[in-house]
Amino acid sequence: MLDTIRVKYPIIPTTEQLQHWTKIFTVKQEGIRRKYIYNYKFDGAMLKYTYIPTDYIGNPLLMLELSLPKLLFDNNYQMILGIESTIDTANFYLRDIPHAPNLDLAEGILIRLDICYNHQVGNLVGDYIKALGHLDYPHRRTKYHRTEGVEFRAKHKTTKFYDKEKESKKSEAAGLLRQELTLMNGKDIQKLLGITKPKLTDITKNFVVEQLENDLAKLRLLGNSIHTRDTALVALCQAHGDMAGLYYYGLLVSKLDKPKKEIASNIQKHPRTIDRKLRKIVDAGIPLTLTEKDEPLPPLEIKF
């Protein structure tokens, strides 16, 4: 449900605590800016503290970034499900961190949030990743890492699908296709939650499901299987008739090999024309990708 978070507080560490932190000076136009960094390894979790004596509006700023499942379970392939119990356990561990202020995660303002879900797909992880690598997410860049995962990147948001076993190097994570949404800007979190000062206690399962399903919907995967070449052709012919179905099937296959702009250039059409044609394919319940498996890949579903 959640992985890495970053929270901020208007708290000033003690002089004694800061003696154990790394001090960094940065020269800015407005003068020299001081920053203190303190990283502490707690079992499998890296706790990253950052303190800025004066932020852009003149207030002290203390930030803490950590992976919640790594702090609780010593790994990040297991899912945390309860927010309140997670906060209680995390606070218990955090209170004894040397040279750091005692922080309550429930009181921190969220400025980074990683929302995640483990799709149990067995030996189909690689097939999903290969198929997802052909998809486009509106207003984002697709970055395909062969056999490892796919990223759909914007400036402060990234949606990822990847092989959790390869990423974690844990055999216990075999068969897990991780879906993950990273929000790196506090304003994005504010906007999604509709709260000026969002906190961990404001995160609910319904909110998490809504965000993850929204990403699936943007990729046209929500409720839809990833077709084979044979089943896609049949479905398109059933939806649009034989001749139109064959045309849309050819366009779908071309989309796997060429960017939309290149297709438009080759046939001397405006990219918006291609968009309208591609919409006919997704309206038939077919994502703009195919699998090489003998059977369609089942829809990805969020079930807590």
Side-chain angles (χ1 to χ4, degrees):
M1 185 162 125
L2 299 181
D3 192 346
T4 299
I5 63 167
R6 186 186 299 128
V7 285
K8 67 176 183 178
Y9 305 82
I11 291 176
I12 303 174
T14 67
T15 302
E16 190 279 329
Q17 289 170 342
L18 290 177
Q19 289 178 356
H20 301 272
W21 295 38
T22 300
K23 190 175 183 179
I24 298 174
F25 291 95
T26 305
V27 179
K28 301 284 187 178
Q29 286 185 342
E30 58 273 18
I32 297 176
R33 192 179 186 198
R34 289 179 297 153
K35 180 168 68 174
Y36 297 82
I37 294 175
Y38 179 57
N39 294 335
Y40 184 81
K41 188 74 176 293
F42 184 93
D43 292 335
M46 179 62 74
L47 309 178
K48 299 179 180 180
Y49 295 85
T50 302
Y51 170 61
I52 299 174
T54 305
D55 65 10
Y56 292 106
I57 58 175
N59 296 325
L61 175 63
L62 175 64
M63 295 174 284
L64 170 62
E65 180 174 303
L66 74 157
S67 166
L68 291 171
K70 282 189 176 181
L71 181 63
L72 270 62
F73 309 129
D74 198 24
N75 67 71
N76 68 343
Y77 63 83
Q78 288 180 261
M79 302 287 291
I80 65 166
L81 299 177
I83 296 296
E84 290 187 8
S85 59
T86 295
I87 291 173
D88 289 342
T89 304
N91 284 346
F92 175 79
Y93 293 141
L94 291 175
R95 69 184 184 185
D96 292 325
I97 302 302
H99 315 306
N102 186 13
L103 300 178
D104 181 355
L105 288 185
E107 295 301 317
I109 306 300
L110 283 168
I111 55 175
R112 172 182 173 169
L113 181 64
D114 286 12
I115 298 170
C116 58
Y117 184 77
N118 289 335
H119 296 281
Q120 304 271 358
V121 299
N123 60 3
L124 297 176
V125 173
D127 297 291
Y128 275 100
I129 289 173
K130 187 172 183 179
L132 292 169
H134 292 291
L135 292 175
D136 295 317
Y137 193 115
H139 310 296
R140 297 195 192 180
R141 294 177 292 107
T142 301
K143 189 170 181 61
Y144 174 42
H145 307 276
R146 293 183 184 276
T147 75
E148 294 183 4
V150 184
E151 296 179 298
F152 303 96
R153 294 181 176 179
K155 187 174 182 180
H156 299 297
K157 295 181 184 177
T158 299
T159 296
K160 296 183 285 189
F161 296 84
Y162 59 93
D163 187 329
K164 195 60 188 177
E165 181 183 18
K166 289 186 177 179
E167 186 269 345
S168 66
K169 297 180 173 58
K170 300 285 187 180
S171 60
E172 295 87 346
L176 298 183
L177 175 68
R178 170 64 71 93
Q179 178 182 347
E180 194 166 287
L181 168 62
T182 297
L183 303 169
M184 295 292 291
N185 190 311
K187 291 184 179 179
D188 290 326
I189 302 172
Q190 293 173 16
K191 184 177 179 180
L192 289 176
L193 284 168
I195 300 172
T196 305
K197 295 182 178 181
K199 298 181 180 181
L200 203 51
T201 50
D202 297 314
I203 306 299
T204 65
K205 286 184 182 179
N206 288 340
F207 171 78
V208 169
V209 171
E210 181 183 354
Q211 302 312 313
L212 294 173
E213 287 189 342
N214 178 64
D215 278 345
L216 292 176
K218 290 288 178 63
L219 294 166
R220 306 294 185 174
L221 293 172
L222 186 63
N224 294 324
S225 301
I226 296 176
H227 281 260
T228 68
R229 290 176 181 264
D230 290 341
T231 62
L233 178 58
V234 170
L236 287 168
C237 288
Q238 288 176 342
H240 301 293
D242 290 349
M243 295 303 294
L246 283 168
Y247 170 81
Y248 290 127
Y249 174 74
L251 180 59
L252 173 59
V253 172
S254 296
K255 178 67 173 59
L256 299 181
D257 299 323
K258 298 178 181 178
K260 181 175 58 180
K261 288 185 178 180
E262 184 177 342
I263 296 174
S265 176
N266 289 344
I267 63 175
Q268 298 182 339
K269 296 288 185 181
H270 195 281
R272 290 180 183 174
T273 301
I274 303 301
D275 281 333
R276 289 194 292 270
K277 302 295 185 182
L278 292 174
R279 199 172 299 124
K280 294 288 187 179
I281 298 173
V282 298
D283 286 347
I286 302 173
L288 298 178
T289 187
L290 296 170
T291 178
E292 296 176 358
K293 299 291 287 185
D294 294 332
E295 298 292 335
L297 300 179
L300 297 175
E301 299 177 319
I302 312 298
K303 293 181 178 180
F304 283 110

